[in-house]
Amino acid sequence: MLDPVAAVGPVLCVVGARPNYMKMAPLLRAFAAEPAMPSALLVHTGQHYDFALNGRLFADLQLPSPDVNLEVGSGSHAVQTAEVMKRFEPLLDAHSPSCVVVVGDVNSTLACSLVAAKREVPVAHVEAGLRSFDRTMPEEINRVLTDQIAELLYTTERGALANLEREGVDPARVHFVGNLMIDSLHAALPRAVAPAATLSAEGHPADLIGKGFGLVTLHRPSNVDAPDALAALLEALAAIAARLPLLWPMHPRTRASIERFALVEALRAPGLVCLPPQGYLEMVGLMNAATVVLTDSGGVQEETTALGVPCLTLRENTERPITVEQGTNTLIGRDFPALRAAVESILAGGGKRGRLPELWDGRTAGRIARHMAQWLRAPRAARVIG
Ligand code: UD1
Protein backbone atom coordinates (compact mmCIF):
# COMPACT_ATOMS: atom_id res chain seq x y z
CA MET A 1 0.00 0.00 0.00
CA LEU A 2 1.29 3.46 -0.83
CA ASP A 3 1.45 6.10 1.83
CA PRO A 4 0.91 9.52 0.18
CA VAL A 5 2.39 11.45 3.09
CA ALA A 6 5.55 9.37 3.51
CA ALA A 7 7.55 11.25 0.90
CA VAL A 8 6.82 14.91 1.11
CA GLY A 9 10.36 16.25 0.92
CA PRO A 10 12.18 16.78 -2.35
CA VAL A 11 14.85 14.46 -3.65
CA LEU A 12 18.33 16.03 -3.53
CA CYS A 13 20.34 14.93 -6.57
CA VAL A 14 24.10 15.38 -6.16
CA VAL A 15 26.74 15.92 -8.84
CA GLY A 16 30.36 16.94 -8.30
CA ALA A 17 32.60 15.94 -11.18
CA ARG A 18 32.47 15.37 -14.92
CA PRO A 19 31.46 11.67 -14.98
CA ASN A 20 28.47 12.40 -12.74
CA TYR A 21 26.72 14.65 -15.24
CA MET A 22 26.08 11.97 -17.89
CA LYS A 23 24.34 9.89 -15.25
CA MET A 24 22.29 12.62 -13.62
CA ALA A 25 20.98 14.27 -16.80
CA PRO A 26 18.68 11.43 -17.94
CA LEU A 27 17.69 10.69 -14.36
CA LEU A 28 16.45 14.23 -13.73
CA ARG A 29 14.39 14.09 -16.92
CA ALA A 30 12.88 10.75 -15.86
CA PHE A 31 12.11 12.08 -12.36
CA ALA A 32 10.29 15.06 -13.89
CA ALA A 33 8.27 12.74 -16.12
CA GLU A 34 7.26 10.36 -13.30
CA PRO A 35 4.07 11.71 -11.68
CA ALA A 36 4.59 9.82 -8.42
CA MET A 37 8.09 11.29 -7.79
CA PRO A 38 8.52 14.21 -5.40
CA SER A 39 10.24 17.29 -6.83
CA ALA A 40 14.00 17.06 -7.45
CA LEU A 41 16.68 19.63 -6.59
CA LEU A 42 20.07 19.52 -8.31
CA VAL A 43 23.02 20.12 -5.98
CA HIS A 44 26.48 20.71 -7.49
CA THR A 45 29.29 20.40 -4.98
CA GLY A 46 31.69 22.40 -7.18
CA GLN A 47 34.37 19.65 -7.16
CA HIS A 48 34.81 20.39 -10.86
CA TYR A 49 34.53 24.06 -11.78
CA ASP A 50 36.44 24.73 -15.05
CA PHE A 51 34.15 25.59 -17.94
CA ALA A 52 35.65 22.77 -20.03
CA LEU A 53 35.03 20.16 -17.33
CA ASN A 54 31.76 21.60 -16.21
CA GLY A 55 29.72 24.36 -17.86
CA ARG A 56 30.07 23.07 -21.39
CA LEU A 57 28.94 19.59 -20.36
CA PHE A 58 25.83 20.93 -18.64
CA ALA A 59 24.74 22.52 -21.91
CA ASP A 60 25.57 19.42 -24.00
CA LEU A 61 23.65 17.13 -21.68
CA GLN A 62 20.73 19.56 -21.35
CA LEU A 63 21.21 19.49 -17.60
CA PRO A 64 19.42 22.35 -15.85
CA SER A 65 21.58 24.80 -13.89
CA PRO A 66 22.12 23.51 -10.37
CA ASP A 67 19.63 24.74 -7.76
CA VAL A 68 22.55 24.95 -5.33
CA ASN A 69 26.30 25.16 -5.94
CA LEU A 70 28.50 24.43 -2.92
CA GLU A 71 31.64 25.71 -4.70
CA VAL A 72 34.10 23.48 -2.84
CA GLY A 73 36.80 23.50 -5.56
CA SER A 74 40.01 21.45 -5.49
CA GLY A 75 42.03 20.25 -2.50
CA SER A 76 43.48 17.11 -0.96
CA HIS A 77 41.00 14.26 -0.68
CA ALA A 78 40.47 15.00 3.00
CA VAL A 79 39.96 18.72 2.48
CA GLN A 80 37.69 18.28 -0.52
CA THR A 81 35.56 15.60 1.16
CA ALA A 82 35.32 17.56 4.41
CA GLU A 83 34.35 20.78 2.61
CA VAL A 84 31.56 19.00 0.74
CA MET A 85 30.29 17.51 4.00
CA LYS A 86 30.31 20.83 5.84
CA ARG A 87 28.54 22.67 3.05
CA PHE A 88 26.03 19.89 2.24
CA GLU A 89 24.65 19.37 5.75
CA PRO A 90 22.72 22.69 5.98
CA LEU A 91 20.80 21.68 2.84
CA LEU A 92 19.26 18.83 4.79
CA ASP A 93 17.92 21.32 7.35
CA ALA A 94 16.74 23.71 4.65
CA HIS A 95 14.93 21.19 2.46
CA SER A 96 14.04 18.14 4.63
CA PRO A 97 14.64 15.84 1.66
CA SER A 98 12.95 12.46 1.38
CA CYS A 99 16.08 11.02 -0.26
CA VAL A 100 19.58 11.95 -1.43
CA VAL A 101 20.54 10.52 -4.83
CA VAL A 102 24.26 10.07 -5.56
CA VAL A 103 25.93 8.62 -8.64
CA GLY A 104 29.30 7.06 -9.37
CA ASP A 105 32.37 7.08 -7.17
CA VAL A 106 33.84 10.55 -6.85
CA ASN A 107 34.66 12.28 -3.57
CA SER A 108 31.37 14.21 -3.67
CA THR A 109 29.45 10.90 -3.88
CA LEU A 110 30.85 9.63 -0.60
CA ALA A 111 30.81 12.99 1.18
CA CYS A 112 27.09 13.62 0.61
CA SER A 113 26.16 10.00 1.35
CA LEU A 114 27.93 10.15 4.70
CA VAL A 115 26.19 13.38 5.71
CA ALA A 116 22.75 12.08 4.68
CA ALA A 117 23.12 8.66 6.32
CA LYS A 118 24.09 10.21 9.65
CA ARG A 119 21.03 12.43 9.47
CA GLU A 120 18.87 9.36 8.68
CA VAL A 121 18.01 10.62 5.22
CA PRO A 122 17.90 7.62 2.86
CA VAL A 123 20.61 7.52 0.22
CA ALA A 124 20.12 6.03 -3.24
CA HIS A 125 23.39 5.10 -4.97
CA VAL A 126 23.29 4.76 -8.73
CA GLU A 127 26.12 2.62 -10.19
CA ALA A 128 26.48 0.57 -7.02
CA GLY A 129 28.53 -2.58 -6.54
CA LEU A 130 31.32 -1.95 -9.04
CA ARG A 131 34.68 -3.10 -7.65
CA SER A 132 38.23 -2.90 -8.98
CA PHE A 133 39.49 -4.64 -5.79
CA ASP A 134 42.26 -2.03 -5.83
CA ARG A 135 42.15 0.00 -2.63
CA THR A 136 44.89 2.31 -3.87
CA MET A 137 42.24 3.93 -6.08
CA PRO A 138 40.38 6.68 -4.21
CA GLU A 139 37.26 5.78 -6.18
CA GLU A 140 37.30 2.22 -4.77
CA ILE A 141 37.18 3.57 -1.20
CA ASN A 142 34.32 5.86 -2.21
CA ARG A 143 32.40 2.95 -3.79
CA VAL A 144 32.77 0.52 -0.89
CA LEU A 145 31.77 3.05 1.76
CA THR A 146 28.89 4.59 -0.20
CA ASP A 147 27.40 1.14 -0.81
CA GLN A 148 27.57 0.31 2.90
CA ILE A 149 25.48 3.31 3.91
CA ALA A 150 23.06 3.65 0.98
CA GLU A 151 19.59 2.17 1.38
CA LEU A 152 18.88 1.82 -2.33
CA LEU A 153 21.57 0.37 -4.58
CA TYR A 154 21.01 0.54 -8.34
CA THR A 155 23.43 -1.60 -10.37
CA THR A 156 24.61 -1.49 -13.97
CA GLU A 157 25.66 -5.14 -14.32
CA ARG A 158 24.50 -8.35 -12.64
CA GLY A 159 27.96 -9.15 -11.24
CA ALA A 160 27.69 -6.16 -8.89
CA LEU A 161 25.26 -8.08 -6.67
CA ALA A 162 27.88 -10.71 -5.80
CA ASN A 163 30.36 -7.94 -4.88
CA LEU A 164 27.79 -6.37 -2.58
CA GLU A 165 26.73 -9.65 -0.95
CA ARG A 166 30.39 -10.42 -0.23
CA GLU A 167 30.50 -7.18 1.74
CA GLY A 168 27.40 -8.10 3.72
CA VAL A 169 24.87 -5.97 1.86
CA ASP A 170 21.29 -7.30 1.96
CA PRO A 171 20.38 -8.26 -1.63
CA ALA A 172 16.91 -6.81 -1.06
CA ARG A 173 18.52 -3.34 -1.23
CA VAL A 174 20.02 -4.06 -4.65
CA HIS A 175 18.19 -3.38 -7.92
CA PHE A 176 19.64 -4.21 -11.33
CA VAL A 177 18.46 -1.41 -13.63
CA GLY A 178 21.11 -1.02 -16.36
CA ASN A 179 23.43 1.84 -17.22
CA LEU A 180 22.49 5.52 -17.18
CA MET A 181 25.61 6.41 -19.22
CA ILE A 182 24.01 4.68 -22.15
CA ASP A 183 20.82 6.73 -21.76
CA SER A 184 22.95 9.86 -22.22
CA LEU A 185 24.86 8.30 -25.09
CA HIS A 186 21.60 7.56 -26.94
CA ALA A 187 20.37 11.10 -26.35
CA ALA A 188 23.64 12.62 -27.62
CA LEU A 189 24.39 10.47 -30.69
CA PRO A 190 22.07 12.33 -33.08
CA ARG A 191 23.68 15.63 -32.00
CA ALA A 192 27.30 14.37 -31.89
CA VAL A 193 29.92 16.67 -33.43
CA ALA A 194 31.94 15.21 -36.31
CA PRO A 195 35.66 14.79 -35.47
CA ALA A 196 36.69 16.94 -38.46
CA ALA A 197 34.63 19.83 -37.06
CA THR A 198 36.18 19.35 -33.61
CA LEU A 199 39.68 19.43 -35.09
CA SER A 200 38.94 22.53 -37.18
CA ALA A 201 37.46 24.31 -34.18
CA GLU A 202 40.74 23.72 -32.33
CA GLY A 203 42.80 25.02 -35.26
CA HIS A 204 44.03 21.68 -36.65
CA PRO A 205 43.68 20.50 -40.27
CA ALA A 206 40.71 18.16 -40.57
CA ASP A 207 42.47 15.92 -43.13
CA LEU A 208 44.86 14.80 -40.38
CA ILE A 209 42.44 11.98 -39.58
CA GLY A 210 41.51 10.98 -43.11
CA LYS A 211 42.78 7.43 -42.61
CA GLY A 212 41.45 6.96 -39.10
CA PHE A 213 42.65 8.01 -35.67
CA GLY A 214 43.04 6.87 -32.12
CA LEU A 215 41.48 8.74 -29.20
CA VAL A 216 43.35 9.11 -25.91
CA THR A 217 41.99 10.06 -22.47
CA LEU A 218 44.23 9.76 -19.39
CA HIS A 219 43.90 11.28 -15.94
CA ARG A 220 44.35 8.56 -13.28
CA PRO A 221 46.97 9.29 -10.64
CA SER A 222 48.64 5.92 -11.41
CA ASN A 223 49.35 7.13 -14.97
CA VAL A 224 49.90 10.85 -14.62
CA ASP A 225 51.10 11.68 -11.09
CA ALA A 226 54.63 10.21 -11.22
CA PRO A 227 57.28 11.60 -13.61
CA ASP A 228 58.79 8.26 -14.71
CA ALA A 229 55.43 6.61 -15.32
CA LEU A 230 54.19 9.60 -17.27
CA ALA A 231 57.37 9.89 -19.35
CA ALA A 232 57.19 6.20 -20.32
CA LEU A 233 53.56 6.60 -21.26
CA LEU A 234 54.29 9.62 -23.45
CA GLU A 235 57.04 7.67 -25.20
CA ALA A 236 54.63 4.80 -25.94
CA LEU A 237 52.01 7.22 -27.26
CA ALA A 238 54.59 8.89 -29.52
CA ALA A 239 55.49 5.49 -31.03
CA ILE A 240 51.82 4.73 -31.72
CA ALA A 241 51.18 8.22 -33.10
CA ALA A 242 53.79 7.54 -35.79
CA ARG A 243 51.46 4.76 -37.06
CA LEU A 244 48.04 6.27 -36.31
CA PRO A 245 47.24 9.90 -35.47
CA LEU A 246 46.24 10.21 -31.81
CA LEU A 247 43.78 12.87 -30.66
CA TRP A 248 44.18 13.59 -26.96
CA PRO A 249 41.69 15.84 -25.14
CA MET A 250 43.73 16.52 -22.03
CA HIS A 251 42.39 16.61 -18.48
CA PRO A 252 43.77 19.61 -16.51
CA ARG A 253 45.35 17.27 -14.00
CA THR A 254 47.36 15.58 -16.79
CA ARG A 255 48.39 18.86 -18.38
CA ALA A 256 49.56 20.17 -15.01
CA SER A 257 51.69 17.03 -14.47
CA ILE A 258 53.27 17.29 -17.93
CA GLU A 259 54.23 20.89 -17.24
CA ARG A 260 55.44 20.18 -13.69
CA PHE A 261 57.69 17.32 -14.84
CA ALA A 262 59.03 19.32 -17.82
CA LEU A 263 57.71 16.79 -20.34
CA VAL A 264 56.09 19.28 -22.72
CA GLU A 265 58.63 18.46 -25.45
CA ALA A 266 57.26 14.89 -25.66
CA LEU A 267 53.92 16.31 -26.82
CA ARG A 268 55.52 17.52 -30.04
CA ALA A 269 55.74 13.94 -31.41
CA PRO A 270 54.44 13.75 -34.99
CA GLY A 271 50.85 12.53 -35.09
CA LEU A 272 50.12 13.40 -31.47
CA VAL A 273 47.39 16.06 -31.35
CA CYS A 274 46.66 17.56 -27.94
CA LEU A 275 43.29 19.20 -27.46
CA PRO A 276 41.70 20.94 -24.49
CA PRO A 277 39.02 18.94 -22.61
CA GLN A 278 36.10 18.52 -24.98
CA GLY A 279 32.36 18.86 -24.59
CA TYR A 280 30.21 15.75 -24.43
CA LEU A 281 28.92 16.06 -27.99
CA GLU A 282 32.49 16.35 -29.28
CA MET A 283 33.61 13.36 -27.18
CA VAL A 284 30.75 11.18 -28.41
CA GLY A 285 31.62 12.14 -32.00
CA LEU A 286 35.28 11.31 -31.42
CA MET A 287 34.63 8.00 -29.67
CA ASN A 288 32.11 6.87 -32.25
CA ALA A 289 34.49 7.49 -35.17
CA ALA A 290 37.75 6.34 -33.54
CA THR A 291 39.66 3.31 -34.82
CA VAL A 292 40.68 2.61 -31.24
CA VAL A 293 40.37 4.36 -27.87
CA LEU A 294 43.20 4.38 -25.31
CA THR A 295 41.93 5.32 -21.87
CA ASP A 296 42.06 4.99 -18.10
CA SER A 297 38.53 6.36 -17.62
CA GLY A 298 35.69 4.22 -16.31
CA GLY A 299 32.94 5.84 -18.34
CA VAL A 300 34.85 5.63 -21.62
CA GLN A 301 35.21 1.85 -21.17
CA GLU A 302 31.41 1.66 -21.04
CA GLU A 303 30.74 4.10 -23.86
CA THR A 304 33.10 2.30 -26.26
CA THR A 305 31.45 -1.02 -25.44
CA ALA A 306 28.06 0.50 -26.25
CA LEU A 307 29.43 2.00 -29.49
CA GLY A 308 31.26 -1.18 -30.52
CA VAL A 309 34.63 0.61 -30.73
CA PRO A 310 37.78 -1.24 -29.53
CA CYS A 311 39.05 0.13 -26.21
CA LEU A 312 42.50 -0.44 -24.71
CA THR A 313 42.46 0.36 -21.01
CA LEU A 314 45.73 1.53 -19.48
CA ARG A 315 44.97 0.15 -16.04
CA GLU A 316 45.80 -3.13 -14.31
CA ASN A 317 42.17 -3.71 -13.35
CA THR A 318 38.67 -2.52 -14.06
CA GLU A 319 35.62 -2.16 -11.85
CA ARG A 320 33.58 -2.66 -15.03
CA PRO A 321 34.44 -6.27 -15.96
CA ILE A 322 31.42 -6.63 -18.24
CA THR A 323 33.14 -4.32 -20.74
CA VAL A 324 35.96 -6.90 -20.99
CA GLU A 325 33.78 -10.04 -20.81
CA GLN A 326 31.07 -8.91 -23.22
CA GLY A 327 32.19 -5.59 -24.67
CA THR A 328 35.10 -4.23 -26.67
CA ASN A 329 37.48 -3.52 -23.79
CA THR A 330 40.95 -5.04 -23.27
CA LEU A 331 42.99 -4.42 -20.12
CA ILE A 332 46.55 -3.48 -21.04
CA GLY A 333 47.86 -2.05 -17.79
CA ARG A 334 51.25 -0.44 -18.30
CA ASP A 335 52.57 -3.10 -20.66
CA PHE A 336 53.54 -0.78 -23.52
CA PRO A 337 54.81 -3.48 -25.94
CA ALA A 338 51.39 -5.13 -25.49
CA LEU A 339 49.74 -1.76 -26.14
CA ARG A 340 51.60 -1.31 -29.42
CA ALA A 341 50.83 -4.89 -30.45
CA ALA A 342 47.14 -4.42 -29.66
CA VAL A 343 47.01 -1.25 -31.78
CA GLU A 344 48.74 -3.06 -34.66
CA SER A 345 46.26 -5.91 -34.44
CA ILE A 346 43.31 -3.47 -34.52
CA LEU A 347 44.86 -1.67 -37.51
CA ALA A 348 45.19 -5.02 -39.26
CA GLY A 349 41.42 -5.35 -39.09
CA GLY A 350 40.95 -7.04 -35.76
CA GLY A 351 39.77 -5.63 -32.49
CA LYS A 352 37.04 -6.90 -30.25
CA ARG A 353 33.54 -6.56 -31.62
CA GLY A 354 31.69 -7.33 -28.41
CA ARG A 355 27.98 -7.16 -27.70
CA LEU A 356 25.72 -4.85 -25.76
CA PRO A 357 25.38 -5.83 -22.07
CA GLU A 358 21.94 -6.57 -20.64
CA LEU A 359 19.77 -3.49 -19.97
CA TRP A 360 22.26 -1.06 -21.54
CA ASP A 361 19.31 -0.05 -23.65
CA GLY A 362 18.95 3.68 -23.01
CA ARG A 363 15.93 3.21 -20.72
CA THR A 364 17.58 2.92 -17.33
CA ALA A 365 16.47 6.32 -16.02
CA GLY A 366 12.78 5.44 -16.38
CA ARG A 367 13.32 2.16 -14.51
CA ILE A 368 15.00 3.97 -11.62
CA ALA A 369 12.34 6.70 -11.48
CA ARG A 370 9.46 4.21 -11.39
CA HIS A 371 11.13 2.09 -8.72
CA MET A 372 12.16 5.04 -6.56
CA ALA A 373 8.72 6.66 -6.70
CA GLN A 374 7.14 3.47 -5.35
CA TRP A 375 9.84 3.04 -2.74
CA LEU A 376 9.61 6.59 -1.44
CA ARG A 377 5.87 6.34 -1.01
CA ALA A 378 5.95 3.02 0.82
CA PRO A 379 5.71 3.32 4.61
CA ARG A 380 9.24 3.57 6.00
CA ALA A 381 8.85 0.40 8.08
CA ALA A 382 8.00 -1.58 4.96
CA ARG A 383 11.22 -0.59 3.22
CA VAL A 384 14.04 -3.04 3.45
CA ILE A 385 17.06 -1.76 5.33
CA GLY A 386 19.70 -4.47 5.43
C1 UD1 B 1 37.77 13.23 -10.40
C2 UD1 B 1 37.33 11.91 -9.78
C3 UD1 B 1 37.58 10.78 -10.79
C4 UD1 B 1 36.96 11.09 -12.13
C5 UD1 B 1 37.48 12.44 -12.62
C6 UD1 B 1 36.90 12.82 -13.96
C7 UD1 B 1 37.62 11.68 -7.33
C8 UD1 B 1 38.41 11.01 -6.28
N1 UD1 B 1 38.10 11.59 -8.59
O1 UD1 B 1 39.19 13.14 -10.60
O2 UD1 B 1 37.00 9.59 -10.28
O3 UD1 B 1 37.29 10.07 -13.04
O4 UD1 B 1 37.13 13.43 -11.64
O5 UD1 B 1 37.43 14.02 -14.40
O6 UD1 B 1 36.61 12.26 -7.03
N2 UD1 B 1 41.05 20.60 -11.83
C9 UD1 B 1 40.90 21.69 -12.65
N3 UD1 B 1 39.64 22.14 -12.90
C10 UD1 B 1 38.54 21.54 -12.37
C11 UD1 B 1 38.71 20.44 -11.52
C12 UD1 B 1 39.96 19.98 -11.28
O7 UD1 B 1 41.86 22.26 -13.13
O8 UD1 B 1 37.41 21.98 -12.68
C13 UD1 B 1 42.41 20.11 -11.57
C14 UD1 B 1 42.95 20.63 -10.28
O9 UD1 B 1 44.32 20.81 -10.44
C15 UD1 B 1 42.70 19.48 -9.31
C16 UD1 B 1 42.88 18.28 -10.23
O10 UD1 B 1 42.39 18.70 -11.50
O11 UD1 B 1 43.55 19.49 -8.23
C17 UD1 B 1 42.17 17.05 -9.77
O12 UD1 B 1 40.77 17.33 -9.63
P1 UD1 B 1 39.85 16.41 -8.67
O13 UD1 B 1 38.43 16.79 -8.79
O14 UD1 B 1 40.45 16.34 -7.33
O15 UD1 B 1 40.07 14.95 -9.28
P2 UD1 B 1 40.07 14.45 -10.79
O16 UD1 B 1 41.44 14.00 -11.11
O17 UD1 B 1 39.40 15.40 -11.70
Side-chain angles (χ1 to χ4, degrees), residues 232-291:
L233 187 50
L234 289 172
E235 201 180 308
L237 292 179
I240 293 168
R243 290 279 289 126
L244 176 74
L246 292 181
L247 308 191
W248 186 359
M250 202 174 278
H251 190 287
R253 178 190 196 105
T254 309
R255 182 165 294 281
S257 291
I258 288 175
E259 286 167 9
R260 190 166 69 250
F261 305 143
L263 295 168
V264 178
E265 200 54 40
L267 297 181
R268 296 196 217 287
L272 193 57
V273 182
C274 297
L275 303 170
Q278 292 298 304
Y280 185 61
L281 299 178
E282 286 80 3
M283 275 305 285
V284 170
L286 289 167
M287 283 189 286
N288 197 28
T291 309

Side-chain angles (χ1 to χ4, degrees), residues 12 35 68 125 330:
L12 293 191
V68 183
H125 183 207
T330 305

